[in-house]
Amino acid sequence: MPPRPTVNEADFEEAFLKGSGPGGQKINKTSSAVQLKHLPTGIVIKSQETRSRTQNRKIARRVLAEKLEVMEKGSESRVAVKGEVKRKKKASQSKKTKRKYKALEEAGAVAATEGVVDGGQNETNQDNGREEEDIDATAKFGQSGRFEEKRDGRERPPDPPRI
């Protein structure tokens, strides 16, 4: 990762403006917004992200330095490199999600075709399995008075009430 860019203090003018927008009356009365004008290029940056003048000065300087670096270096700048990494991560996540749903869809299609190929035998086996499952399941009534079923050694919490 390239180092963070810096700006020469002599290259810009700094002005403090009264803020506007959300934040209440305090924002509108105090001069906490910062405006930086880069003299060689004419780029103007205004920062009013916080109610603190000091924090707004730091933010404005960082944004100005990043914009100048993008103008100078283009795709080699720190901002561009970070953006590319973020884009690749998002694309990878998207591909992973598509693969997951495609595999689930194929598995569902395979299961549906197996039921037809077996000639309906699969359905009878499922019914028998349910009967055996009901016999094997240990049922008890919890403190709530609702029927709670225990399978695989784990208790299932009662379903929330339906409205």
Side-chain angles (χ1 to χ4, degrees):
M1 185 84 45
R4 292 186 185 273
T6 57
V7 180
N8 188 2
E9 294 284 328
D11 287 349
F12 60 83
E13 288 180 353
E14 184 175 40
F16 302 105
L17 310 170
K18 291 189 179 186
S20 62
Q25 185 178 9
K26 181 74 173 174
I27 275 291
N28 302 328
K29 287 174 30 176
T30 59
S31 298
S32 59
V34 177
Q35 179 179 345
L36 297 180
K37 181 177 182 184
H38 190 248
L39 300 175
T41 60
I43 295 175
V44 178
I45 303 291
K46 183 179 177 186
S47 175
Q48 184 196 327
E49 293 189 27
T50 67
R51 288 172 57 172
S52 167
R53 179 187 288 188
T54 310
Q55 287 179 351
N56 286 333
R57 288 179 76 190
K58 289 179 184 176
I59 292 167
R61 282 174 167 72
R62 186 187 75 229
V63 170
L64 179 63
E66 288 173 354
K67 284 199 178 218
L68 291 173
E69 185 187 33
V70 168
M71 286 178 61
E72 283 179 24
K73 297 181 180 177
S75 64
E76 299 291 320
S77 68
R78 180 180 173 89
V79 175
V81 170
K82 287 175 72 175
E84 184 65 23
V85 168
K86 190 179 273 189
R87 187 191 65 76
K88 284 182 180 179
K89 282 185 180 180
K90 188 174 181 179
S92 174
Q93 184 67 31
S94 167
K95 283 168 65 176
K96 184 178 177 183
T97 303
K98 286 179 184 176
R99 272 188 302 223
K100 175 184 169 186
Y101 284 110
K102 186 176 181 182
L104 286 173
E105 187 177 291
E106 288 174 357
V110 168
T113 57
E114 282 180 1
V116 173
V117 170
D118 290 344
Q121 292 177 358
N122 199 12
E123 293 177 16
T124 57
N125 289 342
Q126 286 179 352
D127 290 339
N128 291 339
R130 286 188 190 139
E131 290 173 8
E132 292 172 9
E133 192 175 282
D134 290 340
I135 294 169
D136 291 339
T138 57
K140 68 171 191 175
F141 288 91
Q143 291 178 349
S144 64
R146 293 181 178 216
F147 177 74
E148 296 174 5
E149 198 171 323
K150 187 175 181 182
R151 293 183 186 164
D152 301 331
R154 294 179 292 182
E155 289 189 22
R156 192 178 126 218
D159 295 327
R162 294 189 180 185
I163 299 175

